[in-house]
Amino acid sequence: MNLTTVPSPPTAPTTPTMPTTLDHLWRSMRVPVVDGLQAQGDLLVIPLSVVAPAVGVWAGAGWTDVPPEGVELLRSGAGGNPHTLLAEPGTCRWTTTVRDPDVLAIGVFEATAVAYLLHPEHGAVGCAPGTYVVRRQRERDGHRARLVAD
C-alpha cells in the first residue's frame, strides 16, 4: 500500500455534503491518498484487483463521468449524511452495473487522477488512480450478519 498526502482539489463541491460556507476549510485541508483498501464508516473501497474475478463489472456496463458536484454513493437509512465521490472533471467514471456474489457492491469507479470520498462526519479519503469497488460493510452478530449503518 502506498500512502501519500496531497492538497485537496482546487474546487470545493457545492452539494449538501460540503456546503459553500465551508469553502475555507475545504481549501486548507490535506487528504491522505491511498492505493489500497480503505474504510469510511459503513463503506469499503477496495482495489478491483483484490476481489476480481469474483467481483467485477458486467460486460456492456454503462459508465457515467463523475460530475463536478460528485456522486452520492450511500446515505444512511435514517436520512443521515451521504458518502460522496468527487473528482476533477474528466478524471473519474462510475458504474453500478456490478456483479458481486455477496451483493455488497454499490458500484465501481475508475480514476485516472486522485478521486475523493467525502463524508461530513468521517472526513475525506483519497484514492490513487486505479479501479475500485465500493462495497457496504457487514458485521457478524453471532451466526447472523448485518450491514453496518452509521
Side-chain angles (χ1 to χ4, degrees):
M1 172 175 38
N2 185 16
L3 174 64
T4 58
T5 302
V6 298
S8 63
T11 56
T14 55
T15 67
T17 304
M18 296 287 285
T20 57
T21 56
L22 300 179
D23 278 351
H24 66 287
L25 294 176
W26 175 254
R27 284 190 301 271
S28 67
M29 128 177 121
R30 296 182 74 75
V31 177
V33 176
V34 178
D35 65 358
L37 177 71
Q38 299 187 57
Q40 187 186 61
D42 47 1
L43 289 186
L44 292 175
V45 179
I46 308 167
L48 181 60
S49 61
V50 171
V51 292
V55 177
V57 177
W58 288 106
W63 291 84
T64 303
D65 286 339
V66 173
E69 65 274 10
V71 173
E72 185 175 308
L73 303 180
L74 179 68
R75 185 180 291 263
S76 75
N81 294 314
H83 295 270
T84 303
L85 176 64
L86 293 166
E88 291 294 327
T91 65
C92 188
R93 64 185 193 150
W94 162 259
T95 185
T96 57
T97 312
V98 180
R99 70 176 188 286
D100 178 2
D102 294 324
V103 195
L104 294 172
I106 294 171
V108 170
F109 68 90
E110 291 181 343
T112 57
V114 175
Y116 298 89
L117 189 59
L118 279 94
H119 188 277
E121 293 174 344
H122 302 302
V125 296
C127 297
T131 304
Y132 298 87
V133 177
V134 179
R135 294 178 97 183
R136 297 286 311 267
Q137 286 200 65
R138 67 179 166 195
E139 58 191 4
R140 296 256 179 231
D141 182 13
H143 296 292
R144 298 174 49 165
R146 64 176 176 234
L147 293 176
V148 173
D150 63 14

